[in-house]
Amino acid sequence: MRNKLLLLLLFLPFSAWAQQAYEHKAERYRVEYRDGHFLRKNDHTLHFVKLNVEWPVSLDYQTLDHLHRYLTTQFFGNDEPCLERALDHYLDSLGTPLTQVPDDGSFRTYYHTLDLTEVEYVAGRYISMRMVNKWEPKDTAERGSETQTLFTYDLIHDQVMTARELLRASARRTNSATWWELTKNIVYNMPGELEEGDDLFTLWSEGCLMRLGMVFDVGEDYDGSLYHLLSIVPEKEARKYMSKQARALLDEELPERAAPDYDATGDFHTADTAKVYVVAQEMPTFQGFLASSPEMNRYLVQNVRYPRLEQLLQIDGRVVVQFIVEKDGSVSSAAVINPISPGLDREAVRVISQMPRWQPGRIDGQPVRMLMHLPVTYKIF
């Protein structure tokens, strides 16, 4: 079958609804994409931190405080529910900020990687995520550390579910008949072949739900280094090993969640407290053209890559990305407010976040920060 990518790009006029969706926490769906590099110094130690997170701010009109505290505890060692404050506390614990690497070569150096990606979202039921927390020393005899966690957050009962809660006790009991049966299924569905002599006792530990079934984190020890692969066990097979609680999460009737009433008055601000406008005398333009222009279409068609998994599964639809055009024309604060799948959402955010500078919006001739929505529609023929 010949796959063709169709991108329909519409610039939505801003209204009170656009202001409401940004001001209030309880939204139908909002996942913010944050990345950054940070350098901290503590005595004679340097810390390089790389952050890449897909942060679920609100799902199904829930503010997710329990999930946020779980994530910040696992990532940053504090239970601050706000990502920005939790990150600030974490960076402060590593030392004072630097803007450039010191010339003095006597510093011990550590590299930290904090990565959070969405695996699956099923409206009203759950969101599954993969979390990586890694630190590596440079030029020392110390061994680094890497933790990879798969988990599912139950949106019905507001609780985190790891493999311990998702699987029957017999499927978690090492060396039981059910454990061996599940392990063989995981091995069978791995992207590659198991080498003779590989130890099945340490093969897998983490897992989460997805539409296709269950995905498991598989660790392979190669020359003293641990490599991680993901294995997807199809739902028909995976259900045999699921706990009663996990099967209920997939099957039980969803509770009704009404949209909250909004107060459309007042301005809104981002984390840096700088005002963001929804309308202006001069709206932002991209390379001198409105966002609905052929030039915008040309840029996106040339830069969007249709994810392979979504092509294979024939997944298409419309992603709506919300972002801010800053005073200097750069794009910031990208968030998905209407999702399709993690891969398509991620790709739309990637392309919009890496756009060349816009011409900023202006009020009384002065550049201002502007809130924008850009729908990107994928279509497979």
Side-chain angles (χ1 to χ4, degrees), residues 16-212:
W17 179 88
Q19 181 173 338
Q20 293 164 8
Y22 195 80
E23 281 186 301
H24 293 267
K25 293 181 180 179
E27 301 174 47
R28 185 183 67 83
Y29 182 95
R30 182 180 183 84
V31 172
E32 296 183 350
Y33 290 68
R34 295 287 184 266
D35 58 23
H37 294 79
F38 310 92
L39 175 60
R40 291 294 187 270
K41 172 182 173 292
N42 187 356
D43 293 330
H44 292 284
T45 303
L46 293 178
H47 297 273
F48 291 85
V49 180
K50 179 181 178 182
L51 177 77
N52 180 26
V53 299
E54 298 171 5
W55 192 260
V57 176
S58 180
L59 302 172
D60 303 317
Y61 306 108
Q62 300 181 66
T63 53
L64 309 176
D65 282 351
H66 179 60
L67 173 59
H68 294 160
R69 292 183 187 279
Y70 172 78
L71 291 173
T72 55
T73 299
Q74 297 296 313
F75 255 149
F76 307 121
N78 63 69
D79 65 351
E80 178 67 62
C82 172
L83 171 62
E84 286 79 12
R85 290 197 296 267
L87 176 61
D88 286 344
H89 292 331
Y90 172 74
L91 293 174
D92 288 344
S93 72
L94 297 179
T96 56
L98 296 179
T99 57
Q100 61 183 17
V101 181
D103 294 332
D104 185 351
S106 64
F107 287 92
R108 291 182 300 167
T109 302
Y110 297 91
Y111 297 95
H112 304 253
T113 301
L114 304 171
D115 191 85
L116 177 68
T117 53
E118 181 184 336
V119 175
E120 189 76 275
Y121 166 67
V122 177
R125 296 192 183 276
Y126 66 82
I127 184 170
S128 292
M129 309 200 79
R130 187 186 192 192
M131 182 165 45
V132 178
N133 194 336
K134 178 170 66 173
W135 69 272
E136 302 172 276
K138 178 185 178 183
D139 301 328
T140 74
E142 294 179 81
R143 290 179 62 88
S145 172
E146 178 176 351
T147 302
Q148 296 209 27
T149 305
L150 289 168
F151 69 90
T152 294
Y153 188 75
D154 177 352
L155 292 168
I156 300 175
H157 305 101
D158 299 323
Q159 60 183 347
V160 174
M161 301 177 70
T162 63
R164 179 180 178 83
E165 291 77 31
L166 293 169
L167 296 173
R168 294 161 44 194
S170 59
R172 304 192 312 268
R173 190 180 305 119
T174 303
N175 245 0
S176 70
T178 307
W179 182 89
W180 276 106
E181 184 180 329
L182 173 57
T183 299
K184 290 176 182 177
N185 265 292
I186 294 172
V187 172
Y188 177 79
N189 289 284
M190 283 176 59
E193 296 184 0
L194 189 68
E195 298 291 334
E196 183 177 357
D198 281 346
D199 186 359
L200 296 183
F201 286 93
T202 58
L203 192 61
W204 65 271
S205 60
E206 304 288 342
C208 67
L209 297 177
M210 62 184 306
R211 292 178 194 270
L212 295 176

Side-chain angles (χ1 to χ4, degrees), residues 228-283:
H228 291 266
L229 299 172
L230 296 180
S231 174
I232 300 175
V233 177
E235 182 180 359
K236 183 178 180 180
E237 289 295 317
R239 275 183 175 268
K240 296 188 298 185
Y241 313 109
M242 289 182 189
S243 65
K244 181 179 179 180
Q245 185 181 5
R247 294 195 303 272
L249 178 58
L250 299 179
D251 300 332
E252 69 180 276
E253 186 176 347
L254 294 178
E256 293 187 8
R257 296 188 188 272
D261 293 329
Y262 287 121
D263 175 10
T265 62
D267 298 322
F268 59 85
H269 303 74
T270 51
D272 61 7
T273 72
K275 184 175 180 179
V276 182
Y277 291 84
V278 293
V279 291
Q281 295 162 343
E282 298 178 40
M283 296 299 289

